[in-house]
Amino acid sequence: MTSDLFADEEQNRTWRDELCPDAVVLRHFAVAEQTAILAAIRDISDAAPFRHMLTPGGYSMSVAMTNCGAHGWVTDRLGYRYATLDPQSGKPWPPMPAVFRALARDAAASAGFEDFEPDACLINRYAPGARLSLHQDKNERDFAAPIVSVSLGIPAVFLFGGLQRRDKPLRVPLTHGDVVVWGGAARLRYHGVLPLKEGVHPLLGGQRINLTFRKAG
DNA sequence: AAGTTTCC
DNA sequence: CGAA
């Protein structure tokens, strides 16, 4: 783990604490590749448009989602799962761009998780007011691989909870280019995103986009 | 419940 | 606003 990647040592201590050795925030990690990343997101969403999926309870999610890679996370009345085909088109999800894979692997390695091989990238688009309530990522086949989460656009507050829903979450402000990595003992920690506040980003306008890399299959 | 509403 |  390379400590010079951390801009805010006060907050880093929270994440690298003995209670949470397997979760890291990499500040402004993705900024150098932002042009290529944003172009790739545009290409992906042309082929597999963002959509508001339904929860098993029948509610529409406030976050608009699409995927790239071999496996895509989907939800509908039947439940949460990964699908190799986009339910909306019947076609495979767009392939994961090389710049995505490289970013995810580099971030994972910087956090101490070598040889991460993501086969799923969920792309979440937040408009003001959009949120993600506290949940665990547990639809993956095994939990050996970490999660890599890339923030782009206007700021959000990430909630990082414990292994039980009742554990009070940490509140971690995330801005454009921040990358959160968690795995190992932290792999199943609850997490979420507070309702997005209004804002403007020079490249992304009034929205936030998050890339979440996982090994699903 | 990867959501919503209600209550204090 | 957070908790139920």
Side-chain angles (χ1 to χ4, degrees):
Chain A
M1 195 177 310
T2 49
S3 53
D4 55 317
L5 291 169
F6 295 78
D8 183 343
E9 285 300 328
E10 191 64 28
Q11 188 154 63
N12 294 338
R13 228 167 282 128
T14 304
W15 287 75
R16 303 169 73 189
D17 189 290
E18 284 187 10
L19 294 173
C20 189
D22 294 323
V24 174
V25 182
L26 308 170
R27 296 291 177 194
H28 283 222
F29 193 85
V31 167
E33 291 141 326
Q34 60 183 315
T35 303
I37 291 168
L38 296 179
I41 292 169
R42 183 157 297 212
D43 290 344
I44 291 162
S45 61
D46 283 348
F50 287 102
R51 79 291 305 263
H52 295 271
M53 299 183 190
L54 293 181
T55 67
Y59 292 97
S60 179
M61 297 185 71
S62 58
V63 177
M65 300 175 161
T66 186
N67 291 277
C68 66
H71 302 270
W73 188 85
V74 297
T75 176
D76 58 23
R77 289 174 193 81
L78 301 177
Y80 309 134
R81 63 193 178 279
Y82 282 91
T84 56
L85 304 180
D86 177 352
Q88 198 161 284
S89 67
K91 298 187 297 186
W93 299 102
M96 188 181 299
V99 65
F100 277 29
R101 181 173 187 274
L103 168 61
R105 287 174 59 83
D106 289 352
S110 294
F113 299 97
E114 301 295 333
D115 298 316
F116 178 43
E117 293 185 10
D119 59 15
C121 175
L122 174 63
I123 306 174
N124 288 339
R125 187 184 66 192
Y126 295 72
R131 75 184 74 97
L132 215 49
S133 62
L134 216 56
H135 67 278
Q136 292 173 300
D137 290 9
K138 55 181 182 182
N139 299 118
E140 297 73 27
R141 187 179 301 281
D142 74 76
F143 304 132
I147 311 275
V148 174
S149 171
V150 178
S151 293
L152 299 166
I154 64 177
V157 177
F158 183 63
L159 301 172
F160 194 66
L163 295 176
Q164 303 195 279
R165 186 178 286 277
R166 65 172 177 270
D167 299 333
K168 183 182 177 181
L170 300 173
R171 291 179 174 218
V172 184
L174 295 179
T175 170
H176 182 81
D178 290 348
V179 180
V180 186
V181 182
W182 68 100
R187 176 61 180 73
L188 287 172
R189 286 179 71 145
Y190 279 87
H191 56 282
V193 178
L194 286 182
L196 201 74
K197 292 182 181 174
E198 298 268 1
V200 179
H201 183 273
L203 288 176
L204 280 148
Q207 64 176 347
R208 170 175 189 262
I209 288 181
N210 179 76
L211 311 176
T212 307
F213 295 92
R214 307 183 181 93
K215 180 169 169 49

